[in-house]
Amino acid sequence: MTPRRTRLVRVPDLRAFRSAVRAISADAAGRSTLSTLSTLSLGAPLIVVSTESAARQMRAADSDAQAVTRDELYDRFHARLPHPPRRLTAIERDVIAHASARTASAATDFHRRLRPGLVAEMLRFYDQLRRQSQSVKRFEELISDALGTDDIDRGAQRMRRQTLFLACAFREYERRVGGSGGCDEHMLRDRLLAESSPDPIRRIVVTVADWIADANGLFVADFDLLARIPGLEAIDIIATEALLGSGFHERLHSWWPGIEEVEGAPSPATGPSRPVLRVPQGAPEGERWWTHRDREEELIAVARQLKADARTGEAVPLDRAAVVFKQPLPYLYLARSVFGGAGIPYRTFDALPLAAEPTTATVDLVLETVSSNFTRAALVALLRSPHFAFAAGGQTLSRQALGAFDRTLSDARYLGDASRLEALAAERANGGDAPAFGAALEVVRELAPLAGTAPASAHVRCLASFWRSHLRPIDAATAEPGLAARELRARAAIGETLEALAAVHAAHDDPDWTIEDLSLAVRRWIEDQTFEVDPGDRGLHLLDDNAARYGDFDDVTVVGLIDSDWPERPRRNIFYPAALLKSLGWPSEKDRRAAADAHFLDLLAAARRRTTLSIFTLEDDALATRSLQLDEIPRAKLSSVSSPPLPASRIFEDESLSLEPVSFAPLDAGTREWAHLRASRTATDSAQFHGSIDATAARAWSVSALETYLGCPFRFFAQHVLKLEEEPDDEEVMDPRRQGQLVHEVFEKFFSAWQGAGHRAITSSNLDEARRMFTAVVDEALRGLPEAEAGLERTRLLGSPAAAGLGEAVIRMEAERLTPVVERLLEYELKGEFEFATEAGPRTVAIRGKADRLDLLADGTFRLVDYKLGWPPDRRKALQLPIYGLCSEQRLTEHRGRRWTMGEAVYLAFKGPRRVVPLFQNDADRGKVLSEAQARLVAAIDAIAAGQFPPTPDDVYRCETCSFSAVCRKDYVGDV
């Protein structure tokens, strides 16, 4: 057998790096005779790369290249064993780790809630230890030595108990893995060193660094495996000078003393030796990057530059240009709208998270329905999902039936509970929403087992069965091209995950789960899955910085160079501080940073022609800070070329409409039809565009509706003209509208009973009697409410030891007044034509309203009272109380044979520093308040008649709680 040969191939930069990889691969296949990299004739090598996207990029450039990641390398070794044991899946290992952690917790008396995330971190820590060639025993010894023998330090005591627990859990994990009939990576490594393969892998090319320089690199145990595995005869490690200088060279020699070093091929002679750095014209000294608003603007700038280059003749083929990022998301999502909208084809090699696929939301809908105890919102969302198909009695649910079902549940104040739903269904057996009730009950019956406690495998199977049986069939003929296949692949991935989770729990560990346990497990495993999309076969390359090392490009644009992304932050160890981890062989942050800077410098010089760097300033409405790695740019020694701002041009489809002159030429036929319709809409400078309609006939409006208009004209339009219904809210207690109705009913009944009993004014002498009667009225009114809700409303009305209730404020207010009450007018209706004073003279208008209470007093005045469950309104905006006062004076002209005038008007408010809030303080103040209210009333009536309904709320914060925001054009709210 040819002796084993291990070489370090040193290359100056990434261009030479790629040439060396191709040369070694070609020479091994007999396609090259490069003397500098002459190799043994051992066949095509396995080329170890950092990530799957890097492997795809390399295979795209050379279809013969056998590029594998670290995990795939172990798969290749495993497949060549004479009798390979079954490899445990990630789900199996996690389930075994959970069982091991529970056993260790009981054995060591280390009581800590074993959340799924905690156990996952334990398994990750165990893998890290073993990959650094640390046994469990050695781990205990190193931590014990590092902690010392101090028995007083409580922190050290906790660390010792934690170490004992972790070591016990790790040993139990190893025992369970050994008895499972399968093997994990660490057992496989031992097996590979102990057994010879009849058809071994003879040659490997390593193009990644170690785990210190690259999170996806090789570990100490991996290098040890490559050094000792039987049958492997040649190893080539290819690395750039920058990477070797960051510390990787020294570490390699510590693992493989005397490793042979050779110089790789120099950078290709074709084209310039180094790219130029494209910098913005007029940028401050030292600022050699472009600054944009956000990630989307970065990609838009790339699209505009590609189009500008095409116009000036400086463009390179799109296959020779690349956009490089550290994190694929959200760039891959933005690319579809940005580059798709600009008509620029692109290709990508990164997988997307399965959790981001629309069909994944169906699983969340099911889990949320059960965990919420089948509330209205959850049930309706599930039944309305376009991914599911539900039927009752052979009838497919219509949107009308679901809408009626939703409204029925809201009116019934249904807050969940299967038995309550069954009772409502019985009441609505002949209603138009009966099919929806039938479907909802069927859903509840199928999912009811998940609401209890059951073995994990049973819960997962129940969820999987429901999910699969109700998925809506996909009609490939009507679906958008490509989306049907993508949806089917996503469904298959979710189904496989659920099946695997159920099977693994049934085989290895089947604890009792609640719906919360099920939700955590299912969501976690779906979130861990990735989903491969169609990468495309031509166009601009979108790839991460790992994959970019293997691509040969003329132009490279590096985006997202902000501090949180570049360099990538290492995952924090949650068990031990850095000082203790160092004793276990963990690298220092200095070593990591040096390697990250080396990778960045290599990337800067990777292009053949031009490199562009880009940052942005806003991330989710928060300021983003540029990466400190940008300070390393001078070390790359690139010459720069100043680039002026791009001229305004039309490159996106939406700009066909937004820029003048409007042009539909770039649009396809279907989009062109829509564009003609959109272009024919009202011009933006027209009054109609800003909320005006044709003049309407005069009618009697309620004062509360006019007050809504003053708050926001568009809200008035949506509610009173369009007659749109507000979306109901599910609350465990009454909503403000129902609470207001209850308060008004209570006070009306109380004062009716008080007058019916022969009482007139409430005075200090009959105060206790008024309290007793009010308490009796409240108790009667709350008799039909649920216990918790009744208790809350009783406290609101009657008070508590901490604060007086609204009833006490009402009663005391009257007892403190000296003028006796002659008569009370409760819920006094005001309807018809009334006269109001305006600047143009008297004005008669028709309005309607209802005053909460008028107290007619012995001196010929009346007291107007308005109950407010919340804060009293700002009297500068208030309308109801002053207008009701003016209207009451006109209606009471001949009441009891005398004229009555408003002497007092007050708000009785539950919230705020004062319960009794007067509308005015004196006669002068009274005149001003009433005059301004009349002006507001007439102005609102005239604006409504003129058809003016702009979205101009008196307070922009109204938009946050408005029920009609979905139909409101809010683009200029707050401008006036």
Side-chain angles (χ1 to χ4, degrees):
M1 179 180 290
T2 306
R4 183 186 304 272
R5 192 224 43 220
T6 305
R7 293 189 310 181
L8 170 61
V9 181
R10 308 177 66 119
V11 293
D13 53 31
L14 287 183
R15 292 177 64 187
F17 170 87
R18 293 188 290 269
S19 296
V21 174
R22 287 194 297 269
I24 292 175
S25 179
D27 190 51
R31 291 181 282 141
S32 174
T33 56
L34 292 175
S35 58
T36 55
L37 294 177
S38 180
T39 184
L40 304 171
S41 182
L42 300 174
L46 286 185
I47 304 173
V48 182
V49 298
S50 56
T51 63
E52 182 59 34
S53 62
R56 294 194 192 102
Q57 172 65 34
M58 192 166 184
R59 288 192 289 266
D62 183 358
S63 58
D64 294 329
Q66 298 189 47
V68 296
T69 63
R70 177 183 176 276
D71 289 340
E72 291 170 339
L73 176 64
Y74 274 87
D75 289 337
R76 297 291 186 95
F77 281 139
H78 172 263
R80 293 180 181 236
L81 285 173
H83 302 288
R86 183 178 60 84
R87 288 200 69 182
L88 296 176
T89 65
I91 294 179
E92 285 180 295
R93 296 188 68 222
D94 185 81
V95 169
I96 292 174
H98 271 80
S100 303
R102 289 199 307 274
T103 301
S105 179
T108 59
D109 197 29
F110 186 79
H111 298 298
R112 190 172 181 179
R113 185 176 178 186
L114 300 175
R115 299 176 182 271
L118 175 63
V119 177
E121 286 298 315
M122 289 172 58
L123 187 56
R124 177 175 169 271
F125 182 47
Y126 170 78
D127 285 340
Q128 186 82 0
L129 287 171
R130 294 300 309 275
R131 289 168 181 170
Q132 292 177 198
S133 297
Q134 304 280 10
S135 65
V136 176
K137 180 180 179 181
R138 183 60 178 157
F139 154 65
E140 279 190 289
E141 292 172 351
L142 291 173
I143 291 295
S144 178
D145 292 344
L147 289 173
T149 58
D150 188 355
D151 292 330
I152 299 177
D153 188 337
R154 292 184 178 179
Q157 292 176 4
R158 285 194 297 270
M159 286 291 179
R160 291 192 188 93
R161 289 198 302 271
Q162 176 181 272
T163 302
L164 178 63
F165 163 70
L166 290 174
C168 183
F170 295 160
R171 290 192 181 94
E172 179 65 15
Y173 168 80
E174 291 177 343
R175 185 190 69 78
R176 287 176 178 262
V177 169
S180 68
C183 72
D184 63 1
E185 168 195 315
H186 315 297
M187 289 185 65
L188 174 61
R189 201 159 39 238
D190 296 338
R191 184 86 170 260
L192 292 171
L193 293 174
E195 296 184 23
S196 297
S197 169
D199 181 24
I201 296 172
R202 297 182 178 276
R203 182 130 181 266
I204 288 178
V205 178
V206 177
T207 66
V208 293
D210 61 353
W211 82 103
I212 298 174
D214 188 337
N216 300 295
L218 301 184
F219 291 82
V220 174
D222 302 326
F223 285 108
D224 180 65
L225 174 66
L226 295 180
R228 297 195 292 142
I229 188 171
L232 181 59
E233 299 181 29
I235 304 171
D236 288 307
I237 301 175
I238 307 176
T240 64
E241 293 291 351
L243 180 60
L244 291 171
S246 71
F248 182 46
H249 183 267
E250 180 182 351
R251 293 191 295 272
L252 265 181
H253 276 274
S254 68
W255 300 324
W256 288 340
I259 184 174
E260 177 188 356
E261 295 192 24
V262 297
E263 295 295 331
S267 297
T270 58
S273 59
R274 306 279 282 178
V276 297
L277 188 64
R278 190 175 70 89
V279 301
Q281 188 178 73
E285 181 67 25
E287 187 172 305
R288 311 182 76 181
W289 54 87
W290 297 74
T291 302
H292 303 284
R293 184 188 64 188
D294 52 29
R295 296 184 194 266
E296 183 177 19
E297 290 291 337
E298 287 185 299
L299 297 190
I300 290 174
V302 172
R304 293 193 183 282
Q305 185 64 50
L306 290 172
K307 295 288 187 178
D309 288 346
R311 288 193 299 270
T312 59
E314 297 182 6
V316 298
L318 285 177
D319 285 345
R320 301 288 301 166
V323 174
V324 178
F325 36 71
K326 177 67 74 172
Q327 302 295 339
L329 301 183
Y331 289 109
L332 296 187
Y333 293 136
L334 295 171
R336 183 175 184 182
S337 60
V338 174
F339 295 123
I344 298 175
Y346 66 92
R347 58 193 304 189
T348 180
F349 299 96
D350 284 282
L352 294 175
L354 177 61
E357 291 301 299
T359 193
T360 305
T362 59
V363 180
D364 276 331
L365 281 175
V366 178
L367 294 171
E368 178 63 24
T369 299
V370 180
S371 61
S372 68
N373 194 22
F374 307 104
T375 59
R376 176 185 69 89
L379 266 177
V380 171
L382 181 62
L383 294 174
R384 280 179 172 166
S385 171
H387 296 276
F388 285 127
F390 298 99
Q395 290 181 271
T396 302
L397 295 183
S398 66
R399 287 194 294 177
Q400 290 78 8
L402 281 173
F405 172 72
D406 186 20
R407 184 61 60 181
T408 298
L409 294 185
S410 176
D411 292 342
R413 299 186 60 204
Y414 169 77
L415 301 175
D417 186 61
S419 59
R420 171 80 167 130
L421 185 66
E422 289 183 359
L424 288 173
E427 296 174 6
R428 303 289 300 176
N430 298 318
D433 49 10
F437 269 104
L441 287 177
E442 187 63 26
V443 166
V444 170
R445 294 187 187 107
E446 289 186 49
L447 296 179
L450 297 181
T453 302
S457 60
H459 264 352
V460 177
R461 287 194 181 102
C462 179
L463 172 64
S465 174
F466 177 90
W467 180 78
R468 235 185 246 102
S469 62
H470 291 291
L471 282 174
R472 187 182 299 276
I474 296 176
D475 186 354
T478 59
E480 185 177 336
L483 289 185
R486 180 168 175 170
E487 173 75 4
L488 288 172
R489 296 205 320 274
R491 289 184 179 186
I494 294 172
E496 290 168 4
T497 299
L498 294 178
E499 289 175 3
L501 189 59
V504 167
H505 275 290
H508 295 286
D509 182 45
D510 214 7
D512 285 342
W513 272 5
T514 63
I515 183 60
E516 287 76 19
D517 299 320
L518 175 67
S519 299
L520 285 172
V522 169
R523 284 170 174 150
R524 175 176 164 240
W525 284 112
I526 289 178
E527 288 169 0
D528 282 351
Q529 303 293 322
T530 56
F531 183 78
E532 294 184 14
V533 297
D534 182 9
D537 57 359
R538 65 185 184 89
L540 176 70
H541 288 255
L542 302 182
L543 63 172
D544 60 57
D545 60 323
N546 283 310
R549 296 172 60 84
Y550 301 90
D552 186 11
F553 306 110
D554 291 328
D555 287 356
V556 169
T557 301
V558 186
V559 296
L561 285 163
I562 61 171
D563 186 59
S564 60
D565 286 4
W566 298 76
E568 185 176 4
R569 298 289 188 267
R571 291 186 62 173
R572 175 177 170 268
N573 187 286
I574 66 172
F575 300 108
Y576 297 102
L580 288 179
L581 291 173
K582 187 175 181 180
S583 66
L584 298 176
W586 256 248
S588 68
E589 185 57 31
K590 179 181 177 182
D591 291 337
R592 290 186 187 275
R593 181 57 189 269
D597 289 345
H599 278 296
F600 181 65
L601 289 174
D602 282 340
L603 182 61
L604 290 181
R608 289 181 179 270
R609 185 182 76 151
R610 189 170 65 184
T611 299
T612 304
L613 306 179
S614 170
I615 71 170
F616 58 89
T617 57
L618 279 179
E619 176 84 302
D620 295 330
D621 296 328
L623 291 177
T625 306
R626 73 172 182 86
S627 169
L628 294 179
Q629 284 191 305
L630 292 171
D631 295 335
E632 304 296 319
I633 294 176
R635 290 177 55 195
K637 299 179 180 179
L638 300 179
S639 59
S640 60
V641 57
S642 181
S643 180
L646 296 176
S649 61
R650 193 196 312 264
I651 69 168
F652 295 103
E653 288 186 348
D654 63 278
E655 292 174 337
S656 299
L657 303 177
S658 59
L659 297 180
E660 296 293 342
V662 172
S663 172
F664 298 152
L667 308 178
D668 58 55
T671 307
R672 195 176 300 122
E673 181 181 354
W674 168 87
H676 278 291
L677 179 64
R678 187 177 187 273
S680 64
R681 73 177 185 173
T682 307
T684 57
D685 58 354
S686 169
Q688 283 81 2
F689 187 85
H690 296 279
S692 293
I693 63 174
D694 294 336
T696 59
R699 53 168 289 191
W701 292 105
S702 69
V703 180
S704 61
L706 296 175
E707 205 166 50
T708 299
Y709 182 91
L710 294 175
C712 177
F714 183 81
R715 180 183 177 89
F716 172 92
F717 178 70
Q719 186 173 357
H720 297 284
V721 179
L722 298 181
K723 305 293 185 183
L724 300 181
E725 294 185 351
E726 297 188 62
E727 186 69 21
D729 293 324
D730 290 337
E731 301 287 348
E732 294 185 3
V733 296
M734 285 188 287
D735 56 48
R737 181 176 61 83
R738 288 182 173 134
Q739 288 174 350
Q741 290 174 349
L742 175 65
V743 168
H744 283 75
E745 289 172 3
V746 165
F747 282 115
E748 182 183 8
K749 290 179 180 179
F750 164 69
F751 282 110
S752 296
W754 181 258
Q755 292 185 152
H759 300 295
R760 288 184 179 273
I762 298 176
T763 63
S764 57
S765 61
N766 59 17
L767 193 59
D768 290 337
E769 175 63 22
R771 288 171 176 154
R772 283 192 296 271
M773 184 174 291
F774 185 73
T775 301
V777 170
V778 169
D779 289 340
E780 179 63 28
L782 301 180
R783 193 179 301 277
L785 296 180
E787 182 178 351
E789 190 172 40
L792 181 63
E793 297 305 325
R794 196 174 196 278
T795 301
R796 189 192 310 277
L797 291 164
L798 299 181
S800 68
L806 191 55
E808 181 68 16
V810 173
I811 293 172
R812 278 192 171 277
M813 182 201 72
E814 183 166 331
E816 292 169 356
R817 269 43 173 192
L818 299 178
T819 307
V821 175
V822 176
E823 182 184 359
R824 288 188 180 84
L825 303 177
L826 307 174
E827 299 297 318
Y828 186 60
E829 187 172 17
L830 298 164
K831 185 177 181 181
E833 293 187 341
F834 299 89
E835 186 176 281
F836 299 99
T838 68
E839 291 184 356
R843 175 85 172 272
T844 300
V845 296
I847 61 171
R848 51 189 171 83
K850 185 179 289 186
D852 292 345
R853 193 177 106 216
L854 272 79
D855 294 342
L856 304 183
L857 308 180
D859 62 358
T861 64
F862 64 83
R863 178 169 55 237
L864 183 61
V865 179
D866 191 16
Y867 306 122
K868 291 296 181 186
L869 209 60
W871 290 73
D874 184 345
R875 67 176 190 169
R876 293 172 300 178
K877 302 177 181 179
L879 201 60
Q880 291 189 50
L881 200 57
I883 296 302
Y884 288 165
L886 290 167
C887 294
S888 298
E889 286 185 345
Q890 296 178 40
R891 278 289 178 267
L892 295 174
T893 303
E894 300 299 330
H895 187 74
R896 288 180 173 264
R898 62 184 300 183
R899 186 179 184 87
W900 302 85
T901 59
M902 180 171 59
E904 184 181 14
V906 297
Y907 295 105
L908 288 174
F910 184 75
K911 293 181 180 178
R914 294 187 297 169
R915 288 287 183 263
V916 181
V917 181
L919 179 65
F920 47 80
Q921 302 292 340
N922 49 52
D923 288 343
D925 192 29
R926 177 185 191 275
K928 179 182 178 182
V929 169
L930 296 182
S931 175
E932 291 176 351
Q934 292 176 87
R936 289 195 299 273
L937 174 82
V938 173
I941 290 174
D942 289 345
I944 292 170
Q948 298 174 6
F949 305 105
T952 52
D954 59 350
D955 188 336
V956 293
Y957 292 105
R958 286 184 183 271
C959 298
E960 296 182 0
T961 57
C962 180
S963 301
F964 307 108
S965 59
V967 295
C968 176
R969 185 184 292 119
K970 300 181 288 292
D971 52 342
Y972 52 92
V973 166
D975 288 352
V976 294

